[in-house]
Every structure is written in structure tokens, then in C-alpha cells.
Amino acid sequence: MIGRDVRSRDGLVLAGYEYGNPKGPEILFIHGLSQCSLCWNNQFSSPALANEFRMIAFDIRGHGASEKPMDVSRYADDRLFADDVHSVMEAFNLRRPVLVGWSYAGRIVSDYVEAYGTSRISGINYVCARTNNNPAYNGPGTDFLGDMSGDDLEANIKATRAFVRACYEKQPSPEEFEAVFDYNMLVPPSIRGAHLGRPASDGSILAKLDVPVLVTQGSEDKLVLRGLGELTAAVVPGARLSIYDGIGHAPFAEDTVRFNRELAEFVWAAQV
């Protein structure tokens, strides 16, 4: 692993990481709300992926090892998130990566495409992704986000543990669960709230996408309901929908073998 500090357009420093084959096709992984780049460990540690692909990840602003300014205005503008993705691509000299966006990162992918278009990317893999803010697609796991964004520490801890549980239909081992809980707790509650308080997105960018798109969706997702994955695939021209039966919000962790295989196939196909 190679770590690198990335300075975004507004001066905020993001923690970036590189894994795998430096000469392979590029994949840029973007994690979800309250998570960090460690959520992709099952991909970074996979010989099947590491031998073939150059894999880049970063901790989004306010998360993981990235800077965490408490000024809510540093999370309010969609362009900030678009610039973060662009800055990571520039810092790592990425030519045309496939963007893999999990959960809330579906919104960040849209931010990037709205600002920069698709000329610098070769494809998008939406993973249980929040591609619009229609509350009809909110699963019961989103009920914990209020306490996760509040000032009551005891309630915050309880809600964060419940939120992590809700991310999985096939639960991780106790050791894995505690690691995920730990990095979720790195995000200050007010920063979670600032991300959640961004202006709503209607997902209108989806119909304009002109790159290959794979929509990966767990059938038992308790945060982003299956219907949103189905809608995303229906709206994006030529998108492929892959439903993971019996899997929750984290297909890359719950069914790693299938996820890695499908991602590899998609990335290679997107190079044409």
C-alpha cells in the first residue's frame, strides 16, 4: 500500500491510498457515509484484483484519516465533493478509472459527473448506491442516522453500533465488526449531520450517463432499498443490474468472491 496526502481545491487534505498493479486498469473506490477506505480491504487484499488492477481509494472529507473541519460550510457545496474526486485523480495521475461508489458515494459520483463530465472515467459501479434522495427508498437502517448526528454520546454509540449491524445481512465476525465500528466512530456527529444536510439530489444526471454502468444491489439492503438499485439500472442507458440475493448493504464484504469477479469483468469490459 502507498499512502498519499491529497490537497483538494479548497485546501482540505484527503488521505489517499494505492494498491495493486501500478500498470493495470484503474479503479477508484469511494466509500459511504461514516465509513472509510478500509471498508474495501477485501478488494485490496484479493490477489485476483491486486495482480490485475491499479486500485486507488481515499477517505472522503471528514472521514477516516482525512481532515475534519468542523465548519459545516466545508460540506455544503456539491462542487467540493466533485473537486475532491478530481483532486485524487490528479494526485495519483489516473487516466480513465472506473469509479466504484458505495451507498452515499453514489451522490459523490453524481457530484463529480455534474462538474467534470465523463471524459476522464471509463465506467461506474454503483454499489447499493444512493443515487437520489427520495425517502421512499430509505430502509430501516437509516433510522439510526439522527442519533448518529446528535450530541448525546451514549445515544451516538448505540446508534452507530446498530447502523453498522444494519449494513450487513450476513454479519461480520466480532473482530471485523469492532474494526468497522471503530472507524465509523472517527467521524464527529456534526460532520455526519453536515453531510446528511446537503441539498437533495433528484438523480437527474443518471439519464445522461454515457459510460458503462454496473449497478450492484443487495436484495436485503436495510439502508438503500432494492427498488433504488432497480430504478438506477432502469434509468441509466444500457446499465447492467446485478442483484445479490440474501445480501445486505455491503456486497463487497458479504459475497466478496462474486463481487470481485463481477468488478474485474466490468473493469476489463469498460476498457474497450
Side-chain angles (χ1 to χ4, degrees):
M1 185 270 287
I2 299 172
R4 180 176 301 173
D5 286 344
V6 176
R7 191 170 295 275
S8 194
R9 193 171 183 175
D10 67 338
L12 185 143
V13 176
L14 303 165
Y17 310 93
E18 178 173 350
Y19 301 81
N21 180 355
K23 296 183 179 180
E26 302 159 337
I27 308 173
L28 176 55
F29 294 90
I30 311 173
H31 65 79
L33 181 73
S34 195
Q35 313 288 338
C36 78
S37 59
L38 292 176
C39 72
W40 306 109
N41 274 349
N42 287 3
Q43 286 60 62
F44 303 146
S45 63
S46 164
L49 294 183
N51 291 338
E52 294 188 12
F53 303 106
R54 185 180 181 211
M55 296 181 285
I56 308 297
F58 70 102
D59 297 333
I60 68 172
R61 57 178 54 218
H63 290 62
S66 292
E67 287 189 332
K68 301 175 178 64
M70 301 304 289
D71 180 355
V72 296
S73 69
R74 304 292 292 277
Y75 308 92
D77 188 344
D78 292 351
R79 184 59 188 250
L80 293 170
F81 296 89
D83 289 343
D84 288 351
V85 176
H86 177 75
S87 296
V88 170
M89 291 172 61
E90 290 289 296
F92 285 94
N93 194 28
L94 300 183
R95 297 176 300 276
R96 291 188 70 241
V98 165
L99 303 184
V100 180
W102 176 38
S103 193
Y104 171 64
R107 169 67 181 274
I108 297 174
V109 170
S110 294
D111 296 334
Y112 172 80
V113 173
E114 288 276 11
Y116 290 96
T118 58
S119 64
R120 287 279 307 275
I121 61 175
S122 62
I124 299 169
N125 181 195
Y126 287 113
V127 182
C128 299
R130 175 59 66 182
T131 53
N132 71 44
N133 290 103
N134 186 338
Y137 299 112
N138 292 348
T142 61
D143 293 344
F144 305 115
L145 295 174
D147 282 343
M148 288 172 65
S149 305
D151 294 330
D152 185 326
L153 179 58
E154 183 177 1
N156 179 5
I157 292 171
K158 182 178 179 180
T160 302
R161 295 187 75 87
F163 172 80
V164 171
R165 288 289 182 208
C167 285
Y168 303 90
E169 181 68 15
K170 293 185 176 180
Q171 291 295 310
S173 70
E175 295 78 11
E176 291 168 331
F177 175 88
E178 291 303 328
V180 176
F181 171 73
D182 288 348
Y183 62 66
N184 270 259
M185 287 301 296
L186 290 175
V187 186
S190 62
I191 291 179
R192 290 171 175 161
H195 280 268
L196 292 168
R198 285 213 278 158
S201 170
D202 62 4
S204 59
I205 191 66
L206 296 175
K208 304 173 187 176
L209 293 176
D210 57 359
V211 294
V213 170
L214 170 63
V215 179
T216 301
Q217 180 66 48
S219 68
E220 307 307 311
D221 194 336
K222 293 182 175 64
L223 279 91
V224 176
L225 295 181
R226 172 177 178 158
L228 185 53
E230 293 172 335
L231 176 65
T232 300
V235 171
V236 176
R240 176 194 163 202
L241 175 64
S242 183
I243 296 291
Y244 283 57
D245 290 330
I247 297 298
H249 191 57
F252 50 87
E254 298 179 63
D255 192 347
T256 297
V257 172
R258 175 180 170 184
F259 181 89
N260 289 356
R261 182 184 70 251
E262 291 189 357
L263 176 60
E265 291 170 350
F266 176 70
V267 174
W268 279 120
Q271 305 308 302
V272 177

